[in-house]
Amino acid sequence: MRARNLQLTDVFEFSPDGGVMTFAGERVVLLDAVAMGILRSQLIGSFGLSGARATLTRFGFTHGWRVAEAMKTAIEWDDEREWRVAGGRLHRLHGMVVFEPVQEASTPQPFAEAVWHDSYEAEQHLLHQGRADTCVCWTLTGFASGYLSYVNGRTIYCLETSCRGKGDPVCRLVGRAKEDWPPEQQAELAFYESDCLTSALKKLQQEWKKVDRQLASRRREREAEDASGLVARSAAMKAILTQARRVAAVDATVLLLGESGVGKERIARLIHESSPRQAGPFVAINCAAMPETLLESELFGHARGAFTGAVTDRAGLFEAAKGGTLLLDEVGELPAAMQAKLLRVLQEREVRRVGENKTRAIDVRVVAATHRDLAAEVKAGRFREDLFFRLRVVELKVPALRERPEDVLPLARLALSEAARRSRLPVRELSNEALRRVASYSWPGNVRELMNAMERATVLATGRRVEVDDLPEELRSPTPASRRAPVGHTLAELEREAILATLAAEKGNRARTAERLGIGQATLFRKLKAYQQDGFLVAPAA
């Protein structure tokens, strides 16, 4: 028997008159999904979210372990590997969830990865609890962990990286050995390992309240740094990420505008990874990087003999990105003839390979990006107006780094960490003077320039800190001309403007404002009270 051919009738036996039912030779009972949802609500009410999660995760783990144990001998498998990979199929046969393998796995490569559809658990959580702040398919991840752990002879822990229960387009599962999970997710593994379930209820509640606080702290840290590497502490960037995730839910064509190096490709990846197409491929092409004749073949494909060197039939990127997303980077550089051909493909949703007469239907979401002002290019006659409107179903303008100074230092620290990992060097920190130079520079090359500068600093630094001499020449100038402080203002005036602007950006949240400014909340409250007495408008507390 092969796992994909396994049918419910192969493992499920019952009498039409009722009585004992078996699955893989073990007795089972039918449980109503709504009853499980009500039980979940009662567990949450009694033990809190963490206590309920611990209970249901351990239940799921035990269930998966027992099913794997029973299935080893219940079916005559073609080989042992079929038994090992049958967990997803069994999930489906139990009516829990529909399993879909991921075509393009995460980096670094996980032990297991899948997209889930029709999760009964997400459905019941939404029905009884409403939208959650965290992933909620606890018994399902527990089942996957238990099954994988038994069949592989070592402990594998699974976590959701997205979940319908918290508003994501799909549920997505990743499984890794404990030591392979990154530090920021280690706290969640405690739901598998804690022995609180066998101790007193009071001890359980106290233990998982602590875990709740740890997870909340991790979530706050991740708010500023998106999983795709995007940093969003500035209001402008937060707005862009919110819009990107919103448009990801539909298949509309997106046009990304912004200077070179601002991170348009990362925004495109975020749209792909937040969309129902996330299990499909993400394919990107720089339209300015190749001549027109080669670009046509690259995008649309070619038939054998279509031109010199075309020795075989070849699918283009529109076909290669089937079920996923195609990024047309620097679309503003397309020559006029290619603009007309691209317009036809977008209108008809089909391509014709070079040298062929027949058309082929495509199933791909298109995201276009450019550093040019396409509206101005249309007026100048260099870009087709009809193609412009076809691409600009949704338009997102990614701000330059100089327009979001709050993101500079978090981005710099992230770049230092990534550079250290790639170069296998210790993670460096910026010295106080280096911090000042990095924060005061305008970064005309945007995020790309910042990343390169931090990689250079990581390689050149000899100690634990990056000093000014390790920075590029343009940052070593004592007074960078790129962004000087306003002239003619007192320090008190500059401080007041910074505090009130940060408070407004945080929508009146004084705790977050104090944290971003690096001052105590009592100090902040005292200054705000003084500003109100002086007649300045202070955002109301959130």
Side-chain angles (χ1 to χ4, degrees):
M1 173 70 73
R2 305 194 67 178
R4 67 170 178 264
N5 298 329
L6 191 64
Q7 300 291 322
L8 191 59
T9 52
D10 296 324
V11 287
F12 184 48
E13 296 181 0
F14 68 99
S15 168
D17 295 328
V20 175
M21 296 179 288
T22 62
F23 190 96
E26 300 287 337
R27 183 171 183 173
V28 294
V29 293
L30 295 178
L31 290 176
D32 179 67
V34 175
M36 291 294 292
I38 295 172
L39 173 62
R40 164 184 293 256
S41 295
Q42 292 173 343
L43 288 172
I44 292 172
S46 299
F47 306 140
L49 278 171
S50 292
R53 179 175 178 179
T55 304
L56 294 176
T57 299
R58 294 300 302 174
F59 168 75
F61 187 97
T62 304
H63 187 197
W65 183 282
R66 284 290 298 122
V67 169
E69 189 178 39
M71 290 300 298
K72 185 173 185 178
T73 56
I75 294 292
E76 187 175 341
W77 301 102
D78 286 5
D79 56 55
E80 189 173 271
R81 181 185 176 279
E82 293 298 325
W83 164 62
R84 293 179 186 276
V85 301
R89 182 64 179 171
L90 292 166
H91 244 161
R92 182 187 185 107
L93 295 181
H94 275 97
M96 298 177 182
V97 73
V98 177
F99 168 91
E100 177 187 353
V102 172
Q103 298 178 25
E104 189 175 86
S106 302
T107 302
Q109 181 82 24
F111 185 88
E113 190 170 18
V115 169
W116 284 341
H117 301 284
D118 300 324
S119 160
Y120 91 93
E121 204 165 14
E123 170 190 283
Q124 290 302 313
H125 193 97
L126 288 169
L127 177 64
H128 297 284
Q129 297 291 320
R131 180 175 292 186
D133 295 325
T134 58
C135 300
V136 301
C137 295
W138 305 325
T139 63
L140 298 183
T141 52
F143 181 99
S145 300
Y147 193 96
L148 289 171
S149 296
Y150 184 86
V151 300
N152 289 286
R154 63 190 181 111
T155 303
I156 304 296
Y157 288 145
C158 297
L159 296 174
E160 282 184 289
T161 58
S162 65
C163 182
R164 293 278 295 177
K166 69 181 185 73
D168 295 325
V170 294
C171 298
R172 191 182 186 101
L173 173 88
V174 171
R176 291 188 172 96
K178 179 183 178 181
E179 61 273 17
D180 294 335
W181 280 102
E184 61 269 18
Q185 290 176 296
Q186 287 288 330
E188 292 190 71
L189 303 185
F191 292 106
Y192 286 102
E193 299 182 328
S194 175
D195 60 355
C196 290
L197 299 178
T198 59
S199 63
L201 294 182
K202 183 176 180 180
K203 181 180 177 182
L204 181 146
Q205 289 176 309
Q206 291 173 344
E207 181 71 20
W208 290 111
K209 281 180 181 178
K210 184 188 300 182
V211 175
D212 267 337
R213 288 194 296 270
Q214 292 174 346
L215 292 177
S217 175
R218 293 293 186 186
R219 285 195 297 272
R220 286 193 297 271
E221 292 175 3
R222 291 196 294 268
E223 283 178 0
E225 295 177 7
D226 188 83
S228 61
L230 291 160
V231 170
R233 288 191 179 175
S234 64
M237 201 61 188
K238 286 179 180 178
I240 287 294
L241 297 191
T242 298
Q243 294 171 21
R245 291 188 175 95
R246 190 176 301 157
V247 72
V250 296
D251 244 4
T253 303
V254 180
L255 177 62
L256 298 174
L257 302 177
E259 298 177 7
S260 294
V262 294
K264 297 188 291 293
E265 182 169 343
R266 289 203 172 187
I267 297 289
R269 285 186 178 275
L270 174 63
I271 292 172
H272 169 73
E273 291 165 2
S274 303
S275 75
R277 293 179 174 270
Q278 61 173 249
F282 176 86
V283 180
I285 181 172
N286 188 327
C287 299
M290 56 185 65
E292 180 179 353
T293 52
L294 184 57
L295 180 61
E296 182 177 3
S297 170
E298 193 72 13
L299 286 175
F300 308 139
H302 61 254
R304 178 182 178 183
F307 50 82
T308 302
V311 295
T312 60
D313 291 345
R314 183 175 180 274
L317 295 184
F318 272 98
E319 293 180 69
K322 180 180 179 181
T325 303
L326 175 61
L327 170 63
L328 301 176
D329 200 6
E330 297 301 347
V331 73
E333 309 302 316
L334 285 175
M338 277 301 299
Q339 292 179 31
K341 293 174 182 178
L342 176 60
L343 175 64
R344 184 183 181 281
V345 169
L346 295 178
Q347 288 176 332
E348 304 298 329
R349 307 300 295 176
E350 59 186 22
V351 296
R352 180 179 298 168
R353 295 181 182 178
V354 177
E356 278 190 353
N357 291 324
K358 67 178 181 179
T359 59
R360 301 168 186 266
I362 57 173
D363 174 23
V364 62
R365 197 244 189 85
V366 174
V367 178
T370 180
H371 72 280
R372 294 188 178 275
D373 183 346
L374 286 192
E377 294 293 298
V378 169
K379 289 182 180 179
R382 292 187 291 267
F383 200 85
R384 293 181 62 110
E385 184 178 40
D386 46 4
L387 178 58
F388 173 57
F389 289 123
R390 176 66 65 175
L391 293 173
R392 197 189 66 168
V393 177
V394 177
E395 179 181 286
L396 298 179
K397 294 182 179 179
V398 185
L401 190 52
R402 63 181 174 276
E403 296 170 2
R404 46 188 182 107
E406 302 96 327
D407 295 338
V408 172
L409 292 182
L411 266 171
R413 294 188 180 101
L414 178 64
L416 287 172
S417 176
E418 291 183 348
R421 177 179 53 80
R422 288 193 300 270
S423 304
R424 297 182 181 179
L425 292 170
V427 178
R428 316 290 190 189
E429 296 179 358
L430 292 166
S431 68
N432 290 337
E433 182 60 20
L435 274 170
R436 190 181 70 80
R437 302 294 177 88
V438 170
S440 62
Y441 184 62
S442 68
W443 300 105
N446 293 297
V447 179
R448 185 181 296 121
E449 182 186 10
L450 175 62
M451 293 290 180
N452 291 340
M454 294 303 102
E455 184 163 9
R456 176 189 189 276
T458 297
V459 173
L460 294 182
T462 56
R464 295 286 300 175
R465 291 180 178 273
V466 171
E467 303 295 343
V468 173
D469 288 344
D470 303 320
L471 299 174
E473 175 62 31
E474 54 270 24
L475 275 76
R476 294 201 295 268
S477 172
T479 55
S482 52
R483 189 171 72 237
R484 295 189 180 95
V487 177
H489 292 269
T490 66
L491 286 175
E493 289 171 337
L494 293 175
E495 180 186 68
R496 183 183 66 236
E497 291 176 9
I499 289 175
L500 294 181
T502 305
L503 182 66
E506 292 294 347
K507 299 180 180 178
N509 188 307
R510 304 190 177 191
R512 287 202 301 265
T513 299
E515 182 180 355
R516 281 181 57 179
L517 292 169
I519 61 177
Q521 292 189 37
T523 302
L524 176 64
F525 294 161
R526 186 176 66 252
K527 290 182 179 293
L528 293 178
K529 184 176 181 180
Y531 298 157
Q532 287 177 318
Q533 291 173 348
D534 291 339
F536 291 98
L537 183 62
V538 175

